[in-house]
Amino acid sequence: MATLILASGAIITIGPMPITIIEVYCTILDKFVPGIFSIESMINTVVWQIRLPRVAGAISVGLGLGICGCVMQAVLKNPLASPFTLGISSGANFGVSLAAVFGITILGGPYFLIGNAFVFALLCSGVIIGLSGLKGATSETMVLAGIALNYLFQAMNQLFSYIASDEQRDVMRIWGMGSIGGLNWNSIMVIAVVSMICLPLLYSKAWDLNLMTVGDEAATSMGVNAGHVRIFVLVVSSLLVAALVAFVGVIGFIGLVAPHVARLILGSDHRYIIPAAGGLGAILFLFADVIAMNLFSPSTIPTGTVMSVIGVPFFLYLILRGRRKEYWS
Amino acid sequence: MIVKLSVKGLHFSYGSAEILRDVNLDIRDGQVVSIVGPNGSGKSTLIKCIDRILNPSKGEVIVDRQKVSGMKQMELARMIAYVPQNSLRVFPNTVFDVVLMGRRPHLGWREEARDEQKVWEVLGLLGIEDLALSLFTELSGGQQQKVLIARALAQETGVILLDEPTSNLDVWHQIDVMEILRTLVRSQDLTAIIAIHDLNTAARYSDTIIMMKGGKIFAAGRPEDVLTSENLAAVYGIHARVRNYDDIPHVIPLKQIPRKRGRV
Ligand SMILES: Nc1ncnc2c1ncn2[C@@H]1O[C@H](COP(=O)(O)OP(=O)(O)OP(=O)(O)O)[C@@H](O)[C@H]1O
Ligand SMILES: [Mg+2]
């Protein structure tokens, strides 16, 4: 937590406009206790309107995706499960393409892209959850269905980009790469509220998730209604994921890697690894975003892209090292 | 006689295939009960129905005079423990964590010193303290089976169901597990219900043997009454000789009875 605050402070200072870390904290404090410090209005604007929303956005999105990935892996008993591999992100992406290319929208107004993304993300997880309600659908079936949907939506997106105009294609491309540049205080508020409802609900199932990692039948015999917990967790986490990807686009990888790193460090108790996956997700995302903002400064590259480029080699290194026993204990 | 567990008119089907047909049982407390029968005769299914892992289509299971169907999951978990034949091994849990899971029905959010003590106690009882910090996923099949038994014992229930608990164990550990179970049953009024293939082990350690065939109870009673040449011929389709050693029936299988044409 302290690391997070310090890192955020430091990160706000980095950017096209030079600001010192002291100035950053002064600017933030000034908002709450006005009149102590003299702040240049230019710095004030940059900190409050550009840098801070980005940092807050990165933290809340990383947190949410990390935790959702963690609980999804546990209920589906599959280390490959994540919001991305289950097709939820691609579903949202498909919703955006529909809106961009055909103008088919679910919500009107300025939020039509977001509305579409949200609805299609939910649709996708709805199919997966519906499957689990069917008798005899195992968690393997659900993961396979998610992966299949992922392919389907990706193919549809590619199809759309053929028929789209250049302008439409740009909308789709930017969204598809995932970026938190578009976040403002309003959208962050929405994300924060949804997170504050969903995350405690997910965390309250930590013990049940522990038991479910050894199998549904054993979990049932130890007092956990495995079927109900699975559906509950999937519904709550897909709501949150849908809200997140609707605002920031396709961000793969973080929901996969953050839980694994948490497991590598802390073992298998979800009472600890759920918060850890969230914290790691936030930190990873924050750093990916700094790189995204500053690597080719002054132009910024999509955070999702950076995430995968730097994250994948790191992740591969970890899982190869992680097979050593001492790493786990 | 105190009836610990009774099963009344139990039916179970997977889809349209009826697996259990009208199973009735009364089991006293402080007994070791073995369920024997050929592959696919419904032993595992019966055990899962008793612990409500599967929901029977008809009939009732009653533990301590309470209907299982009306109980909360956690309540049931404090009365019946279940040892599956094997366990999922996707995520790396330490042996200690796996056994601690058995304490779940007794604790709130945090485990207390008492729970950890109980875990060490059952690990000690089964002689696997030295495995406590190893990863469950990296144990041999037999070691895993002992850990799962430890987990069920940590659950501190009156009834413990075991699905082939000795199938992966060497002779020494088979005797070890059966002795531990029998001792616990005697000393703590536990009731153990064990699905098992080894007829001689069953005969040696059980008070009651239930013999199943095609989803029905074919015979039930004391080992010497159930394990007879006639029953073995009818249920398993084998010629066998049954000899008594120290008053315990001992089955010596001889050969298969040739099957009639047309039967699968
Ligand atoms: N998940 C399932 N779906 C459909 N049928 C099943 C399922 N599990 C078991 N069965 C059927 O139920 C019957 C009884 O199975 P069960 O596992 O209870 O047998 P068992 O007596 O434990 O056999 P074994 O000695 O091989 O363990 C079998 O005919 C089997 O084909
Ligand atoms: Mg079986």
Side-chain angles (χ1 to χ4, degrees):
Chain A
M1 190 63 207
T3 340
L4 213 55
I5 294 178
L6 273 180
S8 323
I11 280 159
I12 297 175
T13 61
I14 312 170
M17 181 173 153
I19 308 174
T20 69
I21 193 159
I22 311 284
E23 280 171 320
V24 169
Y25 287 120
C26 290
T27 318
I28 295 171
L29 280 177
D30 189 57
K31 192 80 172 184
F32 300 106
V33 204
I36 303 179
F37 314 102
S38 56
I39 314 281
E40 284 176 55
S41 72
M42 182 66 181
I43 292 185
N44 194 33
T45 318
V46 170
V47 168
W48 276 98
Q49 298 308 322
I50 302 175
R51 305 274 171 86
L52 209 53
R54 240 190 129 100
V55 167
I59 290 177
S60 48
V61 170
L63 184 82
L65 288 177
I67 290 181
C68 288
C70 184
V71 295
M72 284 175 166
Q73 289 172 2
V75 291
L76 293 174
K77 295 187 271 296
N78 193 314
L80 290 177
S82 80
F84 181 71
T85 40
L86 288 184
I88 301 177
S89 308
S90 318
N93 202 354
F94 175 73
V96 167
S97 307
L98 264 188
V101 178
F102 295 112
I104 301 174
T105 57
I106 313 263
L107 288 178
Y111 290 115
F112 73 96
L113 276 185
I114 293 168
N116 256 32
F118 184 72
V119 169
F120 277 91
L122 279 190
L123 188 84
C124 183
S125 42
V127 170
I128 298 170
I129 294 167
L131 263 180
S132 84
L134 285 183
K135 225 175 171 176
T138 58
S139 36
E140 286 82 20
T141 332
M142 295 169 69
V143 173
L144 285 176
I147 291 173
L149 284 179
N150 200 359
Y151 277 114
L152 177 70
F153 284 127
Q154 276 178 5
M156 305 270 252
N157 278 325
Q158 282 161 7
L159 212 64
F160 280 2
S161 67
Y162 269 106
I163 51 176
S165 68
D166 280 350
E167 195 187 330
Q168 293 166 341
R169 202 173 296 138
D170 262 359
V171 173
M172 289 165 56
R173 190 175 54 83
I174 291 172
W175 202 91
M177 287 188 292
S179 163
I180 53 174
L183 289 177
N184 54 34
W185 283 116
N186 286 339
S187 36
I188 289 173
M189 275 314 284
V190 175
I191 291 178
V193 168
V194 178
S195 301
M196 274 190 286
I197 297 169
C198 294
L199 294 181
L201 285 175
L202 293 176
Y203 187 58
S204 72
K205 297 288 176 202
W207 251 117
D208 296 351
L209 297 183
N210 282 350
L211 300 193
M212 282 172 70
T213 56
V214 295
D216 283 3
E217 292 182 347
T220 309
S221 74
M222 290 181 281
V224 175
N225 194 326
H228 287 184
V229 173
R230 175 168 307 117
I231 292 186
F232 176 88
V233 164
L234 285 178
V235 168
V236 174
S237 58
S238 356
L239 263 175
L240 178 54
V241 168
L244 295 176
V245 297
F247 284 110
V248 300
V250 178
I251 310 262
F253 203 63
I254 204 161
L256 182 71
V257 71
H260 282 294
V261 178
R263 281 181 224 282
L264 285 171
I265 299 171
L266 289 176
S268 57
D269 191 336
H270 284 81
R271 288 176 296 172
Y272 307 123
I273 57 177
I274 289 178
L280 283 164
I283 291 172
L284 281 174
F285 201 52
L286 205 53
F287 279 102
D289 194 48
V290 178
I291 297 176
M293 281 229 298
N294 299 296
L295 190 60
F296 297 123
S297 171
S299 69
T300 51
I301 36 180
T303 322
T305 311
V306 175
M307 191 70 226
S308 304
V309 170
I310 57 164
V312 173
F314 169 66
F315 184 52
L316 287 179
Y317 167 76
L318 271 184
I319 49 177
L320 292 179
R321 281 279 322 270
R323 292 193 71 87
R324 300 264 12 99
K325 197 163 162 188
E326 56 267 34
Y327 207 95
W328 298 92
S329 46
Chain B
M1 147 177 149
I2 305 170
V3 176
K4 182 76 183 173
L5 181 121
S6 51
V7 176
K8 293 193 195 313
L10 196 80
H11 288 254
F12 178 84
S13 336
Y14 277 116
S16 58
E18 187 150 68
I19 307 294
L20 294 179
R21 275 171 271 177
D22 195 27
V23 174
N24 289 285
L25 279 177
D26 275 320
I27 293 170
R28 281 198 289 147
D29 73 349
Q31 281 213 320
V32 177
V33 178
S34 290
I35 306 177
V36 302
N39 293 131
S41 57
K43 303 180 294 295
S44 301
T45 310
L46 175 58
I47 282 189
K48 288 177 193 170
C49 281
I50 292 177
D51 202 14
R52 218 174 60 186
I53 292 166
L54 295 173
N55 287 313
S57 47
K58 245 196 287 180
E60 275 295 347
V61 176
I62 295 165
V63 192
D64 288 332
R65 281 176 244 93
Q66 278 177 277
K67 284 185 185 174
V68 161
S69 57
M71 266 186 234
K72 289 215 188 72
Q73 199 89 34
M74 277 292 176
E75 256 179 283
L76 183 60
R78 285 190 285 266
M79 304 177 94
I80 304 182
Y82 164 70
V83 180
Q85 211 177 331
N86 42 43
S87 182
L88 205 72
R89 10 195 298 178
V90 181
F91 297 111
N93 291 301
T94 64
V95 166
F96 188 88
D97 285 340
V98 171
V99 178
L100 185 64
M101 289 178 187
R103 298 300 301 160
R104 171 62 181 139
H106 299 281
L107 43 90
W109 189 257
R110 309 216 121 270
E111 65 273 14
E112 283 157 24
R114 199 168 49 86
D115 298 301
E116 293 184 358
Q117 234 172 348
K118 184 72 199 175
V119 172
W120 286 115
E121 186 190 318
V122 290
L123 287 175
L125 189 66
L126 288 162
I128 48 173
E129 299 114 310
D130 51 325
L131 296 180
L133 296 179
S134 327
L135 286 183
F136 182 77
T137 34
E138 291 176 356
L139 301 182
S140 78
Q143 290 169 327
Q144 289 188 356
Q145 246 175 357
K146 281 196 121 180
V147 173
L148 296 181
I149 294 170
R151 184 178 73 195
L153 293 177
Q155 218 171 317
E156 289 192 298
T157 53
V159 177
I160 174 169
L161 308 168
L162 302 103
D163 199 347
E164 296 179 29
T166 54
S167 58
N168 285 325
L169 300 179
D170 64 46
V171 198
W172 192 91
H173 284 100
Q174 283 183 25
I175 296 179
D176 189 41
V177 162
M178 295 308 282
E179 289 284 351
I180 289 167
L181 283 175
R182 185 160 67 181
T183 312
L184 285 174
V185 163
R186 296 278 180 270
S187 63
Q188 304 184 3
D189 272 345
L190 192 72
T191 297
I193 301 176
I194 310 169
I196 187 166
H197 280 299
D198 185 333
L199 298 173
N200 292 323
T201 307
R204 193 140 165 235
Y205 289 98
S206 333
D207 304 296
T208 303
I209 290 188
I210 294 166
M211 192 180 262
M212 295 189 65
K213 183 193 179 190
K216 284 189 186 160
I217 294 181
F218 183 86
R222 289 182 302 163
E224 57 269 37
D225 299 331
V226 173
L227 296 178
T228 60
S229 309
E230 300 81 61
N231 284 350
L232 292 171
V235 170
Y236 288 94
I238 54 162
H239 288 297
R241 196 165 287 157
V242 182
R243 286 280 142 81
N244 271 353
Y245 292 107
D246 307 330
D247 285 339
I248 297 167
H250 191 87
V251 176
I252 305 145
L254 298 176
K255 60 175 185 190
Q256 295 166 306
I257 298 172
R259 290 182 173 172
K260 289 190 197 106
R261 259 173 220 286
R263 243 185 79 185
V264 194

